[in-house]
Amino acid sequence: MRARHADGFTLVELLLAVALSAVIAALAYAGINSGMQAALSLETEVHNLTELQRALSIIEEDLLQVRLRPVMHGVDYREPALVSNNSADSLLEFTRGGFANPLQLPRSDLLRVRYVLRGGSLWREHWSQLDRVDALQTPQRVMLLSDVTGIELEFLAEQPGVIPDLLSLQEAGGAWQRYWDSEDPRTALTAPLPLAIRLTLTTTQYAQVQRVVELP
């Protein structure tokens, strides 16, 4: 009589199959995890870049609406139309126009805007009332960008005998200044605005971002 052979797998074959399955599962998990991490990193990068572009767009829009209009607040205290001493608590302060008034409210279309760096975040502050009796009136605040490690502003002054054109001034080595005050200290009258403002922004995500805005 022929001997009957039982169908099935030996213990060694089962152990080998289990080991191969574990290796394949580990490789698959590593691939999926790597893909998820890459997707998360890309999402974070896109978010950071979007926030940066949004902040720069808001700053540029403000500067393109700058107005040569000083303000009064407190008791006979006059603020220049545009002033900057590159200090963190008041990087730049100026008057801008274009404040939409669709409801035709009894107010001006001008805003007083100030940018400050506080706790590693860039803030935009504004007052809808330009001339204020209370010098300590609290402005409305919006945080534009976080993780900011440094901001530097430079102002391009017009040079005598040079055509007042941004490109011409840059090529001619225009006088970039770190401070600006549109109030003439000799006459107490309003002095001209700079021709352009160069903003150099440093964040933890990006080493350095620079934007040059030509003022109207």
Side-chain angles (χ1 to χ4, degrees):
M1 295 178 63
R2 291 182 303 172
R4 297 179 61 187
H5 296 281
D7 295 331
F9 298 100
T10 65
L11 180 60
V12 174
E13 292 173 333
L14 288 174
L15 292 175
L16 182 60
V18 171
L20 288 175
S21 299
V23 171
I24 293 173
L27 293 175
Y29 174 77
I32 293 174
N33 185 61
S34 177
M36 292 178 63
Q37 291 295 331
L40 182 60
S41 177
L42 179 60
E43 182 180 352
T44 303
E45 185 70 20
V46 170
H47 173 75
N48 292 336
L49 185 58
T50 301
E51 290 297 302
L52 176 63
Q53 292 286 2
R54 182 182 68 88
L56 291 175
S57 297
I58 291 174
I59 296 172
E60 184 173 1
E61 181 183 356
D62 279 340
L63 293 176
L64 290 176
Q65 296 283 348
V66 68
R67 297 291 186 268
L68 196 57
R69 173 27 166 112
V71 300
M72 300 289 297
H73 61 75
V75 180
D76 297 331
Y77 185 75
R78 180 183 173 104
E79 282 281 0
L82 186 148
V83 61
S84 171
N85 55 13
N86 263 307
S87 64
D89 58 342
S90 185
L91 292 166
L92 181 64
E93 185 173 338
F94 57 94
T95 303
R96 64 152 290 178
F99 184 26
N101 189 8
L103 300 179
Q104 299 299 313
L105 299 175
R107 63 167 173 78
S108 170
D109 65 344
L110 300 177
L111 279 178
R112 189 67 175 178
V113 177
R114 180 170 67 190
Y115 286 93
V116 299
L117 184 62
R118 186 180 298 118
S121 298
L122 177 62
W123 291 79
R124 179 185 185 269
E125 303 178 340
H126 78 269
W127 297 263
S128 55
Q129 182 181 354
L130 296 185
D131 300 317
R132 306 178 298 276
V133 176
D134 183 6
L136 301 179
Q137 181 180 344
T138 303
Q140 298 184 46
R141 297 185 176 96
V142 176
M143 190 185 74
L144 294 184
L145 194 64
S146 59
D147 299 325
V148 178
T149 57
I151 296 179
E152 182 178 347
L153 293 167
E154 295 173 282
F155 305 88
L156 187 60
E158 183 177 347
Q159 290 182 320
V162 179
I163 300 174
D165 175 78
L166 176 60
L167 181 59
S168 301
L169 284 170
Q170 287 180 312
E171 290 177 348
W176 287 99
Q177 305 174 8
R178 294 198 69 247
Y179 308 100
W180 193 272
D181 189 334
S182 61
E183 194 86 0
D184 191 335
R186 297 168 299 178
T187 62
L189 298 176
T190 301
L193 295 170
L195 294 178
I197 296 179
R198 180 163 61 192
L199 168 69
T200 304
L201 181 68
T202 307
T203 68
T204 55
Q205 292 84 18
Y206 305 99
Q208 197 174 81
V209 178
Q210 192 173 90
R211 180 72 60 88
V212 178
V213 181
E214 186 176 4
L215 271 60

